[in-house]
């Protein structure tokens, strides 16, 4: 009703909302639309610019890091060449390996250590130099703690590389000498030693152990310790050689970048590439570049959240400004709209009072007349006229009720009727008219149930009693030969049911089911608890039955307006639906010469 006067909360159709909300929408459009357009354009441009600059910066840092590592690894190769090309060192190693062939596996020489110390004294990155043959481990500078043939067998694969260098990824190694023990992360460079005279191999591998922190320092120095960019080194198989977290060294890069990142880097077949990646719910930009010195790869990783943090800061400022504009627009809209909407709201409140029955309200008309004052004057006239008409209708209804009361007073009092029937019953008994007395008794009980106008429902027990009274009267009246059986579950006897629903159905069975039938008739009436917890009546007869289509039409005449002979059934079905709902009512199952079963479904009513 309220929506008829134009008052409703904003809905999907803004044109049906109130004037106040239309004003607010108008101000929002004029104030926020330019702001949103400018903010969106600024955010897009800044995001694109930042993306290009950070990408270029990342690629520059990646190239710088790779160049620094290549340069440093080149220094280690030069240092290795100084060792393996030193004729005196090569001679000492050959002599030690041959002279000790039958002695212990572990050998060393102070002269060799002194010579090596002179060569590598200026390079603090070197942790140790060791020499390995198939028969011996020869200490150069610092001795490995684990140096059994099994521990060093991996380094002997360098013999297969000829004169080439072989790099081994970072490992955690322990070194011992006469004074202390030291454990550090190192990566190694290995090369086979050749004779200086004829370049023939001597069967000994030189292994240069380099501190692992060297690679981390080179990566952090190139990125200027920028925490927004993560830089690390992996080998050609994806094993991490250098990483900010030492616990990740030796693991596969898939543990950091996932299988997709591992595949893009290791199997891409490119020396330098950049690709986006989403891992663990984070969007990343990954750059990688292969080193020239070996097959190792330098990887830089940037998080998009870090990449666009400046753009996001701009976006937050934009939303703060937009929120301020929204608040200002709301205040302005309320101030401007109130001057127009307040008279309308006042009129709506008065209309609500009229709708609730108060016809004494009046709109206060101001001295200066405008459209609202004219509307208020017409409203006052309308309310006064409605009040006058209602008083007229009330007087007419009062007179009608008085006339009805007089008519009711002229009708037979039901109690007087019951008492009269009772006197007739006893008179018949005195005169030995037992059948007449029984019929009067049955009629009296039937009327007591059916004439109680104050109740729409009765108990199941009372409804069964009513139909049994009807059956008793019919037996005396027509002397028909019909056997009736009644069964009622104790659980439903005291539940409520709409009254007078069984008698019309039984009456139809008596009048139509057994007409022109010579066989013994039977009507079975049962009442049990339904599967849904409600009440289920069933009236079954062994009469002549009917066509199923005709049976269905007996319940449709009140919809089509046609009378098919079963108006009592249709009225009962309609009354049940009005009282209990459309889910309940009458069902008819019948076949010609096979009898009829009528089922009444009712809800649970206490």
């Amino acid at each position: 009703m309220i929506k008829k006067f134009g008052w409703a909360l904003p809905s999907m159709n803004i044109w049906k909302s109130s004037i106040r909300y239309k004003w607010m929408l108008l101000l929002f459009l004029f104030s926020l639309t330019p702001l949103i357009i400018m903010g969106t354009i600024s955010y897009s441009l800044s995001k694109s610019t930042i993306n290009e600059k950070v990408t270029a910066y990342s690629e520059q840092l990646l190239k710088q890091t790779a160049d620094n590592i290549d340069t440093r690894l080149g220094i280690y190769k030069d240092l290795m060449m100084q060792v393996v090309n030193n004729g005196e060192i090569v001679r000492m190693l050959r002599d030690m390996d041959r002279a000790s062939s039958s002695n212990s596996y572990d050998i060393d020489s102070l002269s060799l250590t002194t010579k090596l110390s002179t060569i590598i004294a200026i390079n603090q990155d070197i942790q140790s130099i060791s020499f390995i043959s198939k028969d011996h481990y020869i200490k150069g500078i610092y001795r490995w703690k684990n140096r059994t043939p099994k521990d060093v067998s991996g380094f002997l694969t360098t013999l297969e590389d000829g004169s080439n260098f072989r790099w081994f990824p970072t490992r955690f190694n322990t070194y011992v000498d006469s004074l202390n023990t030291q454990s550090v992360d190192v990566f190694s460079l290995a090369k086979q030693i050749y004779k200086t005279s004829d370049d023939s191999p001597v069967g000994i591998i030189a292994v240069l152990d380099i501190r692992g922190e060297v690679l981390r320092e080179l990566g952090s120095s190139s990125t200027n310790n920028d925490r927004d960019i993560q830089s690390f080194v992996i080998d050609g198989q994806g094993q991490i050689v250098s990483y900010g977290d030492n616990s990740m060294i030796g693991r596969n890069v898939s543990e950091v970048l996932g299988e997709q990142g591992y595949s893009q880097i290791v199997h891409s077949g490119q020396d330098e590439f950049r690709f986006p990646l989403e891992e663990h719910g984070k969007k990343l930009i990954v750059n990688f570049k292969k080193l020239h010195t070996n097959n190792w790869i330098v990887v830089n990783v940037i998080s998009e959240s870090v990449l666009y943090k400046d753009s996001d800061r701009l976006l937050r400022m934009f939303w703060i400004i937009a929120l301020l504009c929204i608040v200002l627009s709301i205040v302005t809209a309320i101030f401007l709209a109130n001057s127009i909407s307040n008279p309308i709201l006042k009129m709506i409140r008065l209309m609500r009072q009229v709708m609730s029955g108060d016809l004494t309200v009046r709109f206060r008309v101001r001295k200066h007349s405008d459209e609202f004052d004219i509307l208020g004057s017409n409203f006052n006239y309308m309310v006064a006229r409605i009040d006058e008409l209602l008083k007229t209708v009330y007087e007419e209804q009062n007179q009608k009720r008085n006339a009805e009361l007089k008519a009711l007073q002229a009708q037979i009092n039901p109690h007087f009727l019951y008492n009269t029937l009772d006197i007739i019953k006893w008179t018949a008994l005195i005169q030995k008219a037992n059948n007449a007395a029984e019929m009067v008794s049955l009629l009296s009980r039937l009327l007591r149930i059916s004439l109680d106008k104050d109740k729409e429902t009765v108990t199941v027990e009372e409804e069964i009693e009513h139909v049994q009274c009807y059956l008793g009267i019919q037996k005396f009246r027509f002397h028909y030969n019909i056997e009736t059986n009644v069964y009622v579950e104790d659980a439903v006897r005291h539940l409520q049911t709409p009254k007078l629903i069984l008698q019309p159905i039984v009456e139809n069975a008596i009048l139509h089911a057994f007409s022109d039938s010579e066989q013994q008739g039977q009507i079975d009436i049962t009442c049990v608890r339904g599967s849904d917890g409600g009440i289920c009546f069933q009236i079954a007869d062994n009469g002549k039955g009917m066509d199923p289509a005709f049976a269905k039409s007996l319940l449709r005449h009140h919809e089509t307006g046609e009378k098919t002979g079963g108006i009592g059934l249709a009225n009962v079905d309609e009354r049940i639906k009005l009282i209990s709902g459309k889910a309940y009512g009458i069902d008819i199952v019948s076949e010609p010469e096979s009898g009829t079963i009528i089922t009444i479904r009712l809800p649970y009513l206490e």
Side-chain angles (χ1 to χ4, degrees), residues 50-60 274 285 287:
I50 292 173
N51 186 19
E52 292 176 359
K53 289 185 177 180
V54 173
T55 301
Y57 173 64
S58 173
E59 292 176 350
Q60 180 182 357
R274 174 169 61 90
I285 296 178
N287 292 350

Side-chain angles (χ1 to χ4, degrees), residues 228 230 256-258 274-287 300-307:
D228 297 341
Q230 185 181 25
V256 179
L257 301 179
R274 174 169 61 90
F275 62 91
L277 180 68
E278 185 169 352
E279 182 66 19
H280 302 302
K282 295 182 179 181
K283 293 183 177 180
L284 308 173
I285 296 178
V286 182
N287 292 350
N300 278 3
V301 180
I302 306 176
S303 173
E304 279 196 8
S305 61
V306 174
L307 181 64

